[in-house]
Amino acid sequence: REAHVAAGGVSPHQPFTIIVTLRDLTEQRRSEKMRADFVANASHELRTPLASLLGFIETLQGPARNDPDARERFLTIMRAQANRMSRLIDDLLSLSRIELKAHVRPRALVDLSALAGGVTDALGPLAKERGVELRLAVDPEPVLVHGDRDELIRVAENLTENAIKYGQSGGKVDVSVRRGGGDAALLVVRDYGPGVAPEHLPRLTERFYRVDVAESRDKGGTGLGLALVKHIVQRHGGRLLIDSVPGQGASFTVALARAEDEPHDASELPLKQAG
Ligand code: ADP
């Protein structure tokens, strides 16, 4: 088809036209391949817990039919597998919803400091359960950005949850919000765990990419958390920076443009300021 296009029209602009066409096709094929890979990965991720569920159902209907102990044990595992499928489907839907909105810039006024406070409060119990001290350091003034509140909560939650889960051995996780240089608003989540080896860093935000698949599954991961974070940050016109010194921990920085400290959408502000 490409040769046909090349032979089609004779004009002084033809070589330029051909190059553009070829590049478009390459881009199109690349995105088709990415979509096909994604569907294959998602199906595989869903099929694994499903196969395990089917196996347990068979056992419960057969050999373990009259064994109450086995029944209890198997049902507990089955519940965990079903929960995993449910988390995976939730993340897949969130990812596709965010992709659909990728070109629309969210505009509500959000205070990152208050948001980070809410997220660390919500994740306090998980940190405690894992023996991690979760520390929050925020600018005393509101750090305002234009954005989608729920999506930004998701970003802070995913990064903090990862820091607690993967950086558990470091004993501490720091979440901070501050004004950066220029008009930047920075949300930084830092842990002191094993960190990430340099060869994995560039791929960490790919869908389903995990440094250690078994560890991620064990910790309830879906492999989509950082992909979601990246897409949300991009939709907000911001940047996600990942730094790590293996053995000393990892830090994830979300850099967004700070909003002017006026006109407010009152519904997005803390109550004391809205009133
Ligand atoms: P998952 O659901 O597996 O946690 P993510 O997309 O959130 O998926 O993260 C991808 C992978 O990045 C994780 O499986 C883990 O290997 C690695 N990772 C994420 N956060 C950290 C961290 N704070 N320290 C070390 N490794 C991390």
Side-chain angles (χ1 to χ4, degrees):
R1 190 186 299 160
E2 290 131 44
H4 181 71
V5 172
V10 180
S11 88
H13 302 298
Q14 194 184 30
F16 178 69
T17 311
I18 292 168
I19 289 166
V20 171
T21 309
L22 286 177
R23 197 198 289 142
D24 281 347
L25 283 173
T26 315
E27 189 55 38
Q28 190 182 328
R29 281 197 192 123
R30 211 171 67 92
S31 87
E32 272 164 16
K33 181 171 181 332
M34 273 176 64
R35 195 163 312 148
D37 286 350
F38 176 58
V39 171
N41 279 332
S43 309
H44 174 74
E45 293 289 333
L46 282 168
R47 200 184 288 141
T48 312
L50 190 59
S52 151
L53 277 177
L54 288 171
F56 281 117
I57 290 170
E58 242 172 60
T59 315
L60 283 173
Q61 285 181 325
R65 183 184 286 272
N66 298 316
D67 180 345
D69 286 347
R71 199 183 138 88
E72 268 318 298
R73 252 184 309 121
F74 292 167
L75 284 173
T76 305
I77 302 172
M78 289 168 75
R79 179 192 281 252
Q81 298 288 13
N83 279 333
R84 183 174 147 206
M85 292 180 77
S86 165
R87 273 197 306 276
L88 195 57
I89 290 168
D90 283 348
D91 280 358
L92 284 169
L93 285 175
S94 301
L95 203 53
S96 101
R97 260 188 237 119
I98 286 158
E99 273 186 333
L100 279 177
K101 297 188 287 189
H103 302 292
V104 187
R105 189 64 66 81
R107 298 298 303 168
L109 206 57
V110 182
D111 174 12
L112 276 190
S113 299
L115 185 145
V119 167
T120 49
D121 282 349
L123 289 175
L126 175 71
K128 201 165 172 198
E129 185 191 308
R130 305 283 169 109
V132 169
E133 186 191 350
L134 183 55
R135 306 185 296 193
L136 175 70
V138 294
D139 197 306
E141 295 294 311
V143 178
L144 300 173
V145 296
H146 286 299
D148 178 305
R149 194 163 191 278
D150 290 340
E151 287 181 16
L152 292 174
I153 287 177
R154 193 83 192 255
V155 165
E157 259 174 10
N158 278 359
L159 295 178
T160 310
E161 217 177 298
N162 275 354
I164 296 171
K165 288 189 309 191
Y166 298 107
Q168 183 174 357
S169 59
K172 283 177 295 211
V173 167
D174 288 322
V175 177
S176 61
V177 172
R178 59 188 164 81
R179 290 148 194 264
D183 71 342
L186 303 177
L187 165 75
V188 185
V189 179
R190 171 147 186 40
D191 70 70
Y192 303 85
V196 182
E199 65 268 27
H200 295 294
L201 276 182
R203 301 198 59 191
L204 230 49
T205 57
E206 283 176 25
R207 293 156 189 195
F208 298 119
Y209 189 83
R210 285 159 286 189
V211 174
D212 181 333
V213 176
E215 184 193 20
S216 157
R217 290 216 174 114
D218 200 41
K219 293 180 191 291
T222 61
L224 293 173
L226 288 178
L228 262 168
V229 167
K230 186 183 81 177
H231 278 83
I232 294 173
V233 172
Q234 276 176 351
R235 174 166 123 78
H236 281 72
R239 294 208 307 145
L240 172 69
L241 306 153
I242 310 178
D243 269 320
S244 178
V245 177
Q248 294 183 27
S251 91
F252 293 75
T253 302
V254 175
L256 299 169
R258 217 166 57 234
E260 297 301 322
D261 299 22
E262 20 99 55
H264 295 150
D265 169 355
S267 65
E268 294 288 340
L269 284 171
L271 280 178
K272 64 178 167 58
Q273 290 189 30

